[in-house]
Amino acid sequence: SLSLAVLAHCLQGKYEVLIKKGWQEPLNLFVLPVAAPSEKKSPCLKWMIRPIQQYEREWNKEHAREIALSNNTYAALLRKVEKMQKDYAAGKITQAELDAAKDEEREFAVLRPKKEYVDDITVERMATLMVENEGRLSAFGTESTLFQNLNGRYSNGAYFDIVLKGFSQDPIRVDRAGKDEEVIENPVLTIVQMAQPRVLEGMMRNEEFLGRGLIARILFSLPKSLVGDRNIDPP
């Protein structure tokens, strides 16, 4: 199940499956392996995502100078707009000149460090990262922390609209006071959370998770226990 999840991460947003004309499915997955303590969940996930971590580290190192230059350029554009707003207020420039500077700043694509996946994250922050990452994001975790967050760990109640839409590529538009509008036309999200049986029991009793279709989107995996039978000297 973790192999499928890692492949989903690599392919999501790049390919789709054409079932038949007019019916396409994205290649992302929500995967939840369930196993008791001491079943080696954490080492298994750590091993599987190691290539992703290596790719992220090498990409960021290779593009470090470009990232810095991009951030410096964007900061200069912000200062330019701020100065031109003052000049406009003083009657030194026209509205068209100010609008052109604002358009240049708004349309500038900032090159950011690559963040291939997240773990402990709020839903609101998830939307921001998806905007920065061309609509794609993955959440890998060994303690099912993400589901705690979706159930209201950092808020007053359960909120996971963005997660539901990220499964089926439904457009996302987040518009809140004090923030720029965040628009993701084709969001695609892969989730891998390792869990203990008690977590699964709690999820199955969660009316919000059941009633709004979160549970139905998850590929559950309940591997056979290896406690007492594990090969301590594998090839």
Side-chain angles (χ1 to χ4, degrees), residues 177-209:
K179 289 187 64 177
D180 292 335
E181 182 184 28
E182 295 177 324
V183 179
I184 313 168
E185 296 298 343
N186 295 293
V188 60
L189 176 66
T190 284
I191 293 177
V192 184
Q193 298 288 297
M194 313 289 278
Q196 297 180 11
R198 182 170 294 183
V199 173
L200 177 61
E201 293 170 8
M203 292 177 65
M204 290 302 181
R205 290 194 298 266
N206 189 307
E207 293 298 329
E208 286 281 340
F209 286 2

Side-chain angles (χ1 to χ4, degrees), residues 54-65 67 112-116:
Q54 181 179 354
Y55 169 71
E56 177 185 277
R57 185 165 53 249
E58 291 178 354
W59 192 95
N60 287 334
K61 182 178 180 180
E62 181 181 345
H63 294 83
R65 292 185 63 182
I67 292 170
R112 305 179 187 279
K114 191 174 288 294
K115 186 181 287 265
E116 284 293 312

